[in-house]
Amino acid sequence: IVAAVTGTDEENLVICQIAKVNFHIRKTIARVNNPKNIAMFRALGIDRIVCSTEVISNMMEYELDRGDCRIVQTLERGDTLLAEMTVKPVNPWVNRKIKDLRLPSECVIMSVLHEGKVIFPRGDTEISAEDKVLFITSRPVFDRIAKELIKYEN
């Protein structure tokens, strides 16, 4: 494995290309500063790409007020999110069973923290006010869910 993490995209690309072509390195990882270069790096066979600008931008964006919905971890280069929501009394999920929630197919509830106890939910698990719900979803679905919940808090 070769990881190219200089501050220059061009240098990182050349390092990975030399590693693959001249030294037959099977896996390369490159830091990319300019998000516009990501497609080119992928097209040229770089195995893993970490865009520091996107990472910082995403962190700043999700530190903004999103009500009681927050991102815990990003996965798959930021395309998938592990998120947590504190369920407020005005939330439409309060006193509803998971099977009755109209969740997008790209959203799965992973656990519910109820009165300090972790519950691995099933369809009959009921969500109460002040529960913390941990779910995995895509970025667009997270944005929709967060926007929808903010509407009930105001």
Side-chain angles (χ1 to χ4, degrees), residues 87 95 111-120 125-134:
V87 180
N95 299 325
S111 67
V112 177
L113 184 64
H114 178 74
E115 296 178 352
K117 180 180 162 193
V118 176
I119 299 168
F120 296 99
T125 302
E126 190 171 294
I127 297 174
S128 302
E130 301 308 321
D131 283 355
K132 289 189 183 299
V133 177
L134 194 65

Side-chain angles (χ1 to χ4, degrees), residues 68 86-95 128-130 148-154:
D68 291 299
T86 302
V87 180
K88 294 300 179 189
V90 293
N91 188 306
W93 292 10
V94 170
N95 299 325
S128 302
E130 301 308 321
E148 180 72 18
L149 296 178
I150 288 171
K151 161 171 92 174
Y152 287 100
E153 292 174 7
N154 295 327

